[in-house]
Each structure stands twice: as C-alpha cells, then as structure tokens.
Amino acid sequence: MTALRAKAGLYLAAASVLLSAGCGTHQERTTDDPGSAASAPATRPSTPLSDLARLESALANQAGASGSAPTGSGLSLARHVGNSASYLWETSEGKVCFAQGAVSGAAMHETACLYAAKTTVEEPGSRLDTFFGPGDGFSEPYVVFAAAPESKVTSVKYEAKDTSWTLVRKLDARASGRNVYYVTLPDGHKGWIDVTLEQSDGAKVADRLPVTMGKTP
C-alpha cells in the first residue's frame, strides 16, 4: 500500500498507526468514497454506524493529542466503503489533515497534514492542486485535490470514462476557501484525470491533474 503523502515543501504529519489492545496483525485496507460524474452521494456504509462513529472519535482524539485537533467544523467523511473510511478536517493553525482507517477490527489508521494556504498548483495555468496522494490507500487507488475557490467540479474522467468522485468540503477562507474533492482512481492508474470545472460565471472549463502512482514531487 502506498502511504499517505503530501507534496514536497508541505508539512507532513508523521504517519500514525494505532493497534488496539489485543489486536494482532496490522492489515491494510483503504478508505472509499462515493461520487461519480456529478458528485455522487456518500456511499452507504456496510459496517455498523457505531463502528464508523468510533473511528471518527479515535481520529479526532489522536489528532488532538498530536497537535492537529479539528476545528469546530469537525471531521468530514470523504469516503466509506467496506471496512475502511477516510476523513478530512481543518485545524486552527490553518492545516488540512486527511486520514484513512479501518472501521472495525484492528484499529489502524494513517494521517497526513499540510498547510493549504501555502500550496500552489502543480501545472501552470491549472486550477487544481493535489493535496494527498495519488496512492493505493487502504482499499482503492485515490487522490485528494483542491479546486480554485471560484471553480467547482462537474465531472472527472479517465480515458473518457467517468470516475467516482465527491466534494468533501469547502475550506475555511484562511485555508484558501477552496473546494476539496476525493477521487477514486482506476487500478494501476498512470497519467492524468480530466476534470471539468464550472466557474462563477457559469462557464465550463477543462483542466487536468497528474495522478501517476508513486509520482515523486
């Protein structure tokens, strides 16, 4: 599994792995997110909601202990599929954090943070900026990216085919006010995803984001 990572020059929180008392092996699975073409609704969990709530609480407590406590806006569920889920949140220091974890069983998760206001787009002229990934995650390849404040995603495609995506949350103004999206990538994905954005004036523009697995900044 490819570990969570942020781009070079950004603050990356040490990956955290928690094994609950009595848990044995550390099994890796990845969080999953709904969305497809027009931002799809969050995937309905196949595990008890109480388990999902316990994971969210554990992530919030761990974040607080490590100095990356969520603001009053709390955690936003980015993806939940099978026994894995991912969350995104903001801190009072202007960081954006992303965590993936097992919903039940071995209490394992990984967390990474970055200062969103200090990030810049990867490609000249692009309105998109990779925050986390691309990586294999716990259960599926994924990438988390932000779009310029005046833009919103209306479709994401790979090789002309719709790819699952969802709007996770709109960041606070001090963290740039951008919309953050979670995208499920095809297995072994390399190259680019094609993103259609709608601007504040209603105009549609095409953009692209590099999402080659293992790509180094």
Short mmCIF file of all heavy atoms in Angstrom, two decimals, residues 87-122:
data_model
loop_
_atom_site.label_atom_id
_atom_site.label_comp_id
_atom_site.label_asym_id
_atom_site.label_seq_id
_atom_site.Cartn_x
_atom_site.Cartn_y
_atom_site.Cartn_z
N TYR A 87 -11.32 10.48 6.26
CA TYR A 87 -11.85 11.75 6.75
C TYR A 87 -10.90 12.89 6.43
O TYR A 87 -9.67 12.69 6.31
CB TYR A 87 -12.04 11.71 8.26
CG TYR A 87 -13.17 10.84 8.74
CD1 TYR A 87 -12.98 9.49 8.98
CD2 TYR A 87 -14.44 11.38 8.95
CE1 TYR A 87 -14.02 8.68 9.42
CE2 TYR A 87 -15.49 10.58 9.40
CZ TYR A 87 -15.28 9.24 9.63
OH TYR A 87 -16.31 8.44 10.05
N LEU A 88 -11.47 14.08 6.33
CA LEU A 88 -10.66 15.28 6.13
C LEU A 88 -11.13 16.33 7.12
O LEU A 88 -12.33 16.45 7.39
CB LEU A 88 -10.82 15.78 4.69
CG LEU A 88 -9.95 16.97 4.29
CD1 LEU A 88 -9.37 16.76 2.89
CD2 LEU A 88 -10.76 18.27 4.34
N TRP A 89 -10.19 17.09 7.69
CA TRP A 89 -10.56 18.14 8.62
C TRP A 89 -9.54 19.28 8.56
O TRP A 89 -8.47 19.16 7.97
CB TRP A 89 -10.69 17.60 10.04
CG TRP A 89 -9.41 17.14 10.70
CD1 TRP A 89 -8.56 17.88 11.49
CD2 TRP A 89 -8.85 15.82 10.64
NE1 TRP A 89 -7.52 17.10 11.93
CE2 TRP A 89 -7.67 15.83 11.43
CE3 TRP A 89 -9.24 14.63 10.01
CZ2 TRP A 89 -6.87 14.70 11.59
CZ3 TRP A 89 -8.44 13.52 10.17
CH2 TRP A 89 -7.28 13.55 10.95
N GLU A 90 -9.91 20.40 9.19
CA GLU A 90 -9.04 21.57 9.28
C GLU A 90 -8.66 21.82 10.73
O GLU A 90 -9.39 21.44 11.65
CB GLU A 90 -9.75 22.80 8.71
CG GLU A 90 -10.12 22.66 7.24
CD GLU A 90 -10.96 23.81 6.75
OE1 GLU A 90 -10.42 24.94 6.66
OE2 GLU A 90 -12.16 23.60 6.47
N THR A 91 -7.52 22.48 10.93
CA THR A 91 -7.07 22.81 12.28
C THR A 91 -7.07 24.33 12.45
O THR A 91 -7.13 25.08 11.48
CB THR A 91 -5.64 22.30 12.54
OG1 THR A 91 -4.69 23.14 11.88
CG2 THR A 91 -5.48 20.85 12.05
N SER A 92 -6.98 24.77 13.70
CA SER A 92 -6.98 26.20 13.97
C SER A 92 -5.72 26.88 13.45
O SER A 92 -5.66 28.10 13.33
CB SER A 92 -7.11 26.44 15.49
OG SER A 92 -6.04 25.82 16.19
N GLU A 93 -4.69 26.08 13.12
CA GLU A 93 -3.44 26.63 12.60
C GLU A 93 -3.43 26.73 11.08
O GLU A 93 -2.43 27.07 10.47
CB GLU A 93 -2.26 25.76 13.05
CG GLU A 93 -2.08 25.73 14.56
CD GLU A 93 -0.93 24.81 14.96
OE1 GLU A 93 -0.52 23.97 14.13
OE2 GLU A 93 -0.46 24.95 16.09
N GLY A 94 -4.55 26.41 10.45
CA GLY A 94 -4.63 26.51 9.01
C GLY A 94 -4.17 25.27 8.26
O GLY A 94 -3.98 25.32 7.04
N LYS A 95 -4.03 24.16 8.98
CA LYS A 95 -3.65 22.92 8.31
C LYS A 95 -4.91 22.16 7.85
O LYS A 95 -5.98 22.30 8.44
CB LYS A 95 -2.83 22.02 9.25
CG LYS A 95 -1.44 22.54 9.55
CD LYS A 95 -0.64 21.56 10.38
CE LYS A 95 -1.18 21.40 11.77
NZ LYS A 95 -0.32 20.52 12.61
N VAL A 96 -4.73 21.36 6.82
CA VAL A 96 -5.76 20.44 6.37
C VAL A 96 -5.20 19.04 6.56
O VAL A 96 -4.07 18.77 6.15
CB VAL A 96 -6.13 20.66 4.89
CG1 VAL A 96 -7.11 19.59 4.42
CG2 VAL A 96 -6.73 22.04 4.70
N CYS A 97 -5.96 18.17 7.22
CA CYS A 97 -5.49 16.81 7.50
C CYS A 97 -6.41 15.78 6.85
O CYS A 97 -7.62 16.00 6.73
CB CYS A 97 -5.45 16.58 9.01
SG CYS A 97 -4.33 17.69 9.91
N PHE A 98 -5.80 14.67 6.47
CA PHE A 98 -6.53 13.59 5.81
C PHE A 98 -6.12 12.28 6.47
O PHE A 98 -4.92 12.03 6.68
CB PHE A 98 -6.19 13.56 4.32
CG PHE A 98 -6.87 12.47 3.54
CD1 PHE A 98 -8.24 12.52 3.31
CD2 PHE A 98 -6.14 11.41 3.02
CE1 PHE A 98 -8.87 11.52 2.57
CE2 PHE A 98 -6.76 10.41 2.28
CZ PHE A 98 -8.12 10.46 2.05
N ALA A 99 -7.09 11.45 6.82
CA ALA A 99 -6.79 10.19 7.48
C ALA A 99 -7.60 9.06 6.88
O ALA A 99 -8.75 9.25 6.48
CB ALA A 99 -7.08 10.28 8.98
N GLN A 100 -6.99 7.89 6.81
CA GLN A 100 -7.66 6.68 6.37
C GLN A 100 -7.55 5.66 7.49
O GLN A 100 -6.51 5.58 8.15
CB GLN A 100 -7.01 6.12 5.11
CG GLN A 100 -7.04 7.06 3.92
CD GLN A 100 -6.42 6.43 2.70
OE1 GLN A 100 -5.55 5.58 2.80
NE2 GLN A 100 -6.86 6.85 1.53
N GLY A 101 -8.59 4.88 7.68
CA GLY A 101 -8.52 3.90 8.75
C GLY A 101 -9.49 2.75 8.58
O GLY A 101 -10.43 2.82 7.79
N ALA A 102 -9.24 1.68 9.36
CA ALA A 102 -10.14 0.53 9.38
C ALA A 102 -11.32 0.86 10.29
O ALA A 102 -11.13 1.36 11.40
CB ALA A 102 -9.40 -0.70 9.89
N VAL A 103 -12.52 0.60 9.83
CA VAL A 103 -13.71 0.92 10.60
C VAL A 103 -13.89 -0.02 11.77
O VAL A 103 -14.31 0.37 12.85
CB VAL A 103 -14.97 0.89 9.70
CG1 VAL A 103 -16.22 1.15 10.50
CG2 VAL A 103 -14.83 1.92 8.58
N SER A 104 -13.58 -1.29 11.57
CA SER A 104 -13.68 -2.27 12.65
C SER A 104 -12.48 -3.20 12.60
O SER A 104 -11.72 -3.20 11.63
CB SER A 104 -14.98 -3.07 12.54
OG SER A 104 -15.02 -3.77 11.31
N GLY A 105 -12.30 -3.98 13.66
CA GLY A 105 -11.13 -4.86 13.71
C GLY A 105 -9.92 -4.11 14.22
O GLY A 105 -10.03 -3.25 15.09
N ALA A 106 -8.76 -4.40 13.65
CA ALA A 106 -7.53 -3.73 14.07
C ALA A 106 -7.69 -2.23 13.89
O ALA A 106 -8.01 -1.75 12.81
CB ALA A 106 -6.34 -4.23 13.24
N ALA A 107 -7.48 -1.48 14.98
CA ALA A 107 -7.70 -0.03 14.95
C ALA A 107 -6.50 0.67 14.32
O ALA A 107 -5.70 1.30 15.00
CB ALA A 107 -7.96 0.50 16.36
N MET A 108 -6.36 0.54 13.02
CA MET A 108 -5.23 1.12 12.32
C MET A 108 -5.66 2.30 11.48
O MET A 108 -6.71 2.28 10.85
CB MET A 108 -4.61 0.06 11.41
CG MET A 108 -3.33 0.51 10.74
SD MET A 108 -2.91 -0.58 9.36
CE MET A 108 -3.84 0.23 8.07
N HIS A 109 -4.83 3.35 11.50
CA HIS A 109 -5.09 4.45 10.59
C HIS A 109 -3.81 5.21 10.31
O HIS A 109 -2.81 5.08 11.02
CB HIS A 109 -6.17 5.39 11.15
CG HIS A 109 -5.74 6.23 12.31
ND1 HIS A 109 -6.04 5.92 13.61
CD2 HIS A 109 -5.03 7.38 12.36
CE1 HIS A 109 -5.53 6.84 14.42
NE2 HIS A 109 -4.92 7.75 13.68
N GLU A 110 -3.85 5.98 9.23
CA GLU A 110 -2.72 6.83 8.86
C GLU A 110 -3.25 8.25 8.65
O GLU A 110 -4.35 8.44 8.16
CB GLU A 110 -2.06 6.34 7.57
CG GLU A 110 -1.36 5.00 7.72
CD GLU A 110 -0.66 4.57 6.44
OE1 GLU A 110 -0.90 5.19 5.39
OE2 GLU A 110 0.13 3.62 6.52
N THR A 111 -2.43 9.22 9.04
CA THR A 111 -2.85 10.62 8.95
C THR A 111 -1.73 11.48 8.37
O THR A 111 -0.56 11.28 8.69
CB THR A 111 -3.22 11.17 10.34
OG1 THR A 111 -4.26 10.37 10.91
CG2 THR A 111 -3.68 12.62 10.25
N ALA A 112 -2.09 12.43 7.52
CA ALA A 112 -1.12 13.38 6.98
C ALA A 112 -1.76 14.77 6.99
O ALA A 112 -2.98 14.90 6.85
CB ALA A 112 -0.72 13.00 5.56
N CYS A 113 -0.96 15.81 7.18
CA CYS A 113 -1.46 17.19 7.22
C CYS A 113 -0.59 18.10 6.35
O CYS A 113 0.58 17.82 6.13
CB CYS A 113 -1.45 17.72 8.65
SG CYS A 113 -2.53 16.84 9.81
N LEU A 114 -1.19 19.19 5.89
CA LEU A 114 -0.44 20.19 5.14
C LEU A 114 -1.05 21.56 5.39
O LEU A 114 -2.18 21.67 5.87
CB LEU A 114 -0.45 19.86 3.64
CG LEU A 114 -1.80 19.70 2.92
CD1 LEU A 114 -2.45 21.05 2.62
CD2 LEU A 114 -1.60 18.94 1.62
N TYR A 115 -0.28 22.60 5.10
CA TYR A 115 -0.78 23.96 5.20
C TYR A 115 -1.38 24.34 3.85
O TYR A 115 -0.67 24.67 2.91
CB TYR A 115 0.34 24.93 5.58
CG TYR A 115 0.74 24.84 7.02
CD1 TYR A 115 1.85 24.09 7.42
CD2 TYR A 115 -0.01 25.48 8.01
CE1 TYR A 115 2.20 23.99 8.76
CE2 TYR A 115 0.35 25.39 9.35
CZ TYR A 115 1.45 24.64 9.72
OH TYR A 115 1.79 24.55 11.04
N ALA A 116 -2.69 24.30 3.76
CA ALA A 116 -3.38 24.50 2.48
C ALA A 116 -3.10 25.87 1.87
O ALA A 116 -2.98 26.00 0.65
CB ALA A 116 -4.88 24.32 2.67
N ALA A 117 -2.99 26.90 2.67
CA ALA A 117 -2.80 28.25 2.13
C ALA A 117 -1.44 28.41 1.46
O ALA A 117 -1.23 29.32 0.66
CB ALA A 117 -2.94 29.28 3.24
N LYS A 118 -0.50 27.49 1.75
CA LYS A 118 0.84 27.61 1.18
C LYS A 118 1.04 26.75 -0.06
O LYS A 118 2.10 26.74 -0.65
CB LYS A 118 1.88 27.21 2.25
CG LYS A 118 1.88 28.14 3.46
CD LYS A 118 2.94 27.71 4.47
CE LYS A 118 2.94 28.64 5.68
NZ LYS A 118 3.95 28.24 6.69
N THR A 119 0.01 26.02 -0.44
CA THR A 119 0.15 25.16 -1.61
C THR A 119 -0.05 25.94 -2.90
O THR A 119 -0.72 26.96 -2.93
CB THR A 119 -0.86 23.99 -1.58
OG1 THR A 119 -2.18 24.53 -1.66
CG2 THR A 119 -0.71 23.17 -0.32
N THR A 120 0.54 25.46 -3.96
CA THR A 120 0.39 26.08 -5.27
C THR A 120 0.07 25.00 -6.29
O THR A 120 0.43 23.84 -6.11
CB THR A 120 1.68 26.80 -5.70
OG1 THR A 120 2.78 25.88 -5.67
CG2 THR A 120 2.00 27.96 -4.77
N VAL A 121 -0.59 25.38 -7.37
CA VAL A 121 -0.96 24.40 -8.37
C VAL A 121 0.29 23.78 -8.99
O VAL A 121 1.33 24.42 -9.10
CB VAL A 121 -1.83 25.03 -9.48
CG1 VAL A 121 -3.15 25.48 -8.91
CG2 VAL A 121 -1.10 26.18 -10.15
N GLU A 122 0.17 22.50 -9.40
CA GLU A 122 1.32 21.78 -9.93
C GLU A 122 1.63 22.14 -11.38
O GLU A 122 2.76 22.08 -11.81
CB GLU A 122 1.07 20.27 -9.83
CG GLU A 122 0.96 19.77 -8.41
CD GLU A 122 0.83 18.27 -8.34
OE1 GLU A 122 0.83 17.63 -9.41
OE2 GLU A 122 0.74 17.73 -7.24
#
